[in-house]
Each structure stands twice: as structure tokens, then as C-alpha cells.
Amino acid sequence: MSLSPARVLAALNAVRPPDQASPVMGKAVVIGGSIAGMLAARVLSDYAESVVVIDRDDLQATGGRPGVPQGTQLHALLPGGFLQLEQLFPGFREQALAQGAIEAPPAARRNYLDGRLKVVVPDDADSLAGSRPLLESLIRQQVLRLPNVKTVTARATGLVFDGPVASGVRCDVGGSPGVEHADLVVDAMGRSSRLSDWLAEAGWERPALRRMTVHLNYATALFRRDEADPEHTVVLALHSPTTSVDVAGAAFFAIEDGRWMAMMAGYGEHRPGRTAEDFVRRLREQFPPEFATVADSEILGDVQTYRHADSRRRDFHAVTRLPGGLVSVGDAVASFNPVYGQGITAAALHAACLAHYLRPGPDLGLPAHHFFALQKIVVDAAWSISTSADLALPHVDGPYPRGYRLSSWVSRQIVAATVTDVTTARRFNDVVSMRKHPSSLVTPRVILGALRANRRAR
Ligand SMILES: Cc1cc2nc3c(=O)[nH]c(=O)nc-3n(C[C@H](O)[C@H](O)[C@H](O)COP(=O)(O)OP(=O)(O)OC[C@H]3O[C@@H](n4cnc5c(N)ncnc54)[C@H](O)[C@@H]3O)c2cc1C
């Protein structure tokens, strides 16, 4: 009997590393040493004798790097992702705090919807705030401490095949060609991954690419933070598509080195705050008063902008002709509208899929259909959360899933109820944070609870 997607997601959230390493392969090669690649490498260290992580950037260097252009933008670590990181790396919280990350328990987080403060969910999970380079380097440090993981600075240029199996990665190492042989190749090259091209060039099937155009404009700026222990460390404010405000949302987080990081996002022609002056003015005028406190602080450096054209997913689960010894993880498989902050948490769940797949010792010579079937459940869950909200935007024109009118009415009721009703807000947070499956919201109890809460609020 096959398990429901809700049960599979619950099982993936509960995956723990084994007490002892139990290798099922000699060498695994991960292409891409960002967050998804490092989380995959952490799991592989339990199931491979050695793990090589290839990245075109020097991963020993500190700070931002060209391979992750989104690195200057604000990144939220959802409570679900934080729980995953603590499972994979015992002591993660303490090390993160020691390196400057800021605690973000429920009472320190504030959420506004259309200017109304949402109820605080008392026993919701903790999280942390920090810059993206800090979060990434914390994960990297934990992984590179493992004795059987090493990194190679090289640009991957293709795959090597041995009959029906991917058996290695071609690389350009400082201008010289090379090959890293592997029993398992993991693509973690991010949303611009070239794996589909490499498969097609070698005569394999290319996974279907699905896109939803969102035309999101992001802008992030840093401000000096004088308060060492601010009461609220993570503050978010979203505007519904029906409001007349041209900025769709803003957030500010306390981050390391005594700074605030503030972000604003807009869609289509709305490009929020490209100059410091404009950024600060909008923070003050279009958001709740606590945003003005940040706007009144000294701005540090320039406003960094980023344009995100679309959410996209590659349907590896539907490919029938796939070589063995190959999987793909992270943004390379699915990258979503970043406003919902799902990327790191989804990557952690992809790593859990890998652990689930490798634990029974699969035949790596065969296509990893089981892995991709598990991963589809994670991708579907994240995709439905982000795309159902995006379809409500006036400039997004589909594709609409079946039953969209009803499902969008239901989600509007639930989102509205999160402002005043603790029970609905807790259920909603569990889903947004990917600890529970979206189907857990589509029950008569939840919907009636939301309707009653909205009636009371009126
Ligand atoms: C503006 C923006 C804001 C975001 N905000 C959030 C947020 O708030 N919360 C959240 O959880 N997520 C957020 N995300 C998503 C998050 O950045 C990603 O999900 C996360 O980084 C995991 O991505 P990844 O590791 O799969 O790929 P990436 O981080 O894109 O990394 C890909 C890696 O592959 C390497 N690479 C690529 N090609 C090659 C090659 N040929 N050879 C060698 N190396 C190669 C690159 O150098 C890079 O290191 C945001 C994204 C954007 C764009």
C-alpha cells in the first residue's frame, strides 16, 4: 500500500542520520557546493566512502561569491528548515549563535498582513536570522568537517556515461580538462543547472521544464543596528494583491555584526527602492511604524537588487529514460518565488529524500526513480504553496490548476483567519514551513474554523 503525500512528507521531516555510517557506494560526486549541494553531501557522507563537492567558486573563500548571485538578498530560514538543520548537524544552533546569528523564537517574530498584525503563535518552532553568506558558511563548515568530504574548485562541463549509468563528471580545472569518477552523481547546480542539456546531448530524455512567470523585483539594504538585543528580530509585512500599495511586501531581520537587513519586493513594473533614498522612503511610508525605526538608521552600502523572472520545476519524476547513478536536488529541480522563503527548507527535504533512498542500499546502476518519486512530493508541496499565492497576482495568468477558483477562495479564507485565530495560524505556519503537507489545510474542520474566525473578526 502506498503512503499518502502527507505521510511521506511527515516521514521525510522525521529522517535522522544513522548512528553509524553504512556505505553503499565508493565515491559520490556533488556538482554545486551551495546549500542544496552541501546538505546532499552531509547525507552522502553516511552512505559513501568518499564525497567530492565540485564548485566553480572557491568554497574556502569567505563572504559573497559570484556562483550565488542571490547571496546579497535577504534569506529567511523557515522554522521547518531550521529543525532539519538541527537534525543533520547537532549543535547547529549554538554554533550559529556563536558566529553571530540571531535567535528568532515565535515571540521575536512579527507578521503583518495588509497592515494588520497577525496573532503570535505561542508554541510555533524557533528559527534563526542571519545573512545568506552566514547561513551558507555555517552549513559548509559543518559538512567540510566530515573526514570523508572534500571540495574541488572546478567548473563541471558534462557527464561521463558507462552504458546506462552516469559514471563521472567532466570538469574544467583552471583551464585543464579533468574527470571525477563517481558511483553516484548529484546535480546541485541551482536553477540554471545544465543537467537537462547534458542528458539530451547524450541521447537521454530531457525532463519537462514547467515555469510560472512572476516577474519579481527584490531589493535589499543593510542598516546599522544600535540595539544589541532587539525585542523583534524578524518582521515581515505583506500586502494582498487587492491593495493599492505598489510594494508587495517588505521584511527586516536582525543579522550578524550589529546590522539590520531590510528587503522590499514588487512585481512587474514595480521596482521597489533601487536608490537608498527611494528604499528608505518606501520603508517609512508604506509599512507599519516599526519599519520606520530601521529606515531611520544609518544605511550601510548600496541597495542590492535582483530580478526573479519565474518559478520553475524540472519534472525528473516523469522521465522514463534516465541513466542510473544520477540524482538532482535543490533549485536545479525546483526554484520558487523567493518571497515564501522555501528554498533552503526544500533543499533540506531533498537531502532527506536522498537518505530515505540510500538507506536500504539501492542498485545505483538503475535509474533513481524511487528518489525522484519521493522528491516529487516535496516539490509538489512547495510548488502548490507558492504558485497558488502567485496566481492571485493580477499579472500572473496561469497555468491554473483544476478547481482553482474554489481553492483560491479557501486559501483566502485561511490566510485572512491567520491574522486573528491562533489555531488557524498554527496550522498555516506548519504548512508554509513545510512541516505539514498542504492537504492538511483542506479539511472541513480547518475551513470551518477559518470561516468562523473571520466572522468573529468582522
Ligand atoms: C532573491 C532570492 C531570495 C531568496 N530568499 C530565500 C529565502 O528567504 N529563504 C530560502 O530558504 N531560500 C531563498 N531563496 C532560494 C535559495 O537561494 C536557494 O533555494 C538555495 O540557495 C539553494 O539553492 P541551490 O543550492 O540548489 O542552488 P544555488 O544556491 O543557486 O547554488 C548553485 C551552486 O552550483 C554552482 N554551480 C553551478 N553550475 C556549476 C558548474 N557548471 N560547475 C560547478 N559548480 C557550478 C554555483 O557556483 C553554486 O554554488 C532565495 C532565492 C533568491 C533568488
Side-chain angles (χ1 to χ4, degrees), residues 32 34-36 54-56 65 67-68 70 73-76 132 154-156 188-190 218 306 308 330-331 338 341-344:
S34 175
I35 290 173
I54 301 174
D55 204 287
R56 54 194 176 187
R65 57 192 183 86
V68 280
Q70 73 273 36
Q73 301 299 322
L74 179 136
H75 273 61
R132 150 84 197 215
R155 190 171 59 86
M189 285 183 279
Y218 243 57
Y306 189 96
H308 189 86
D331 284 19
Q342 296 169 307
I344 300 171

Side-chain angles (χ1 to χ4, degrees), residues 76-300:
L77 176 59
L78 299 178
F82 180 46
L83 286 172
Q84 295 282 320
L85 293 180
E86 285 195 298
Q87 278 163 206
L88 285 169
F89 309 111
F92 184 83
R93 171 199 299 257
E94 290 69 30
Q95 295 186 27
L97 295 176
Q99 292 187 37
I102 309 288
E103 292 206 84
R109 300 199 293 263
R110 307 256 279 180
N111 267 282
Y112 291 87
L113 181 64
D114 298 329
R116 293 167 73 206
L117 182 62
K118 286 192 181 191
V119 285
V120 175
V121 178
D123 59 357
D124 200 11
D126 287 352
S127 193
L128 289 175
S131 69
R132 150 84 197 215
L134 177 69
L135 294 175
E136 189 183 320
S137 88
L138 282 163
I139 294 170
R140 187 165 61 228
Q141 286 165 34
Q142 306 281 334
V143 176
L144 297 188
R145 220 172 266 158
L146 300 166
N148 61 343
V149 180
K150 71 166 190 168
T151 59
V152 169
T153 306
R155 190 171 59 86
T157 55
L159 293 181
V160 181
F161 294 95
D162 184 1
V165 181
S167 61
V169 179
R170 281 183 218 291
C171 307
D172 177 329
V173 195
S176 314
V179 171
E180 282 288 346
H181 291 286
D183 298 303
L184 179 69
V185 174
V186 179
D187 160 33
M189 285 183 279
R191 60 189 258 122
S192 307
S193 166
R194 298 222 39 230
L195 178 65
S196 302
D197 295 341
W198 297 347
L199 286 173
E201 281 158 19
W204 296 97
E205 194 178 327
R206 177 193 284 278
L209 174 66
R210 282 198 260 164
R211 293 174 196 256
M212 181 177 282
T213 306
V214 290
H215 291 312
L216 175 71
N217 306 303
Y218 243 57
T220 292
L222 293 164
F223 294 84
R224 190 175 307 286
R225 172 166 58 83
D226 295 324
E227 261 180 298
D229 294 309
E231 188 185 353
H232 299 120
T233 54
V234 165
V235 180
L236 287 112
L238 284 181
H239 293 142
S240 310
T242 44
T243 61
S244 56
V245 185
D246 64 351
V247 178
F252 67 86
F253 292 5
I255 65 161
E256 70 276 11
D257 301 329
R259 294 173 298 171
W260 294 112
M261 185 177 257
M263 171 284 269
M264 257 185 276
Y267 291 100
E269 291 314 308
H270 299 300
R271 293 169 189 252
R274 294 168 93 185
T275 64
E277 207 182 14
D278 187 28
F279 192 95
V280 164
R281 182 184 59 76
R282 284 172 197 258
L283 268 193
R284 270 205 203 101
E285 291 175 4
Q286 300 190 349
F287 293 94
E290 56 206 294
F291 283 78
T293 317
V294 173
D296 288 342
S297 310
E298 180 193 351
I299 191 162
L300 305 170

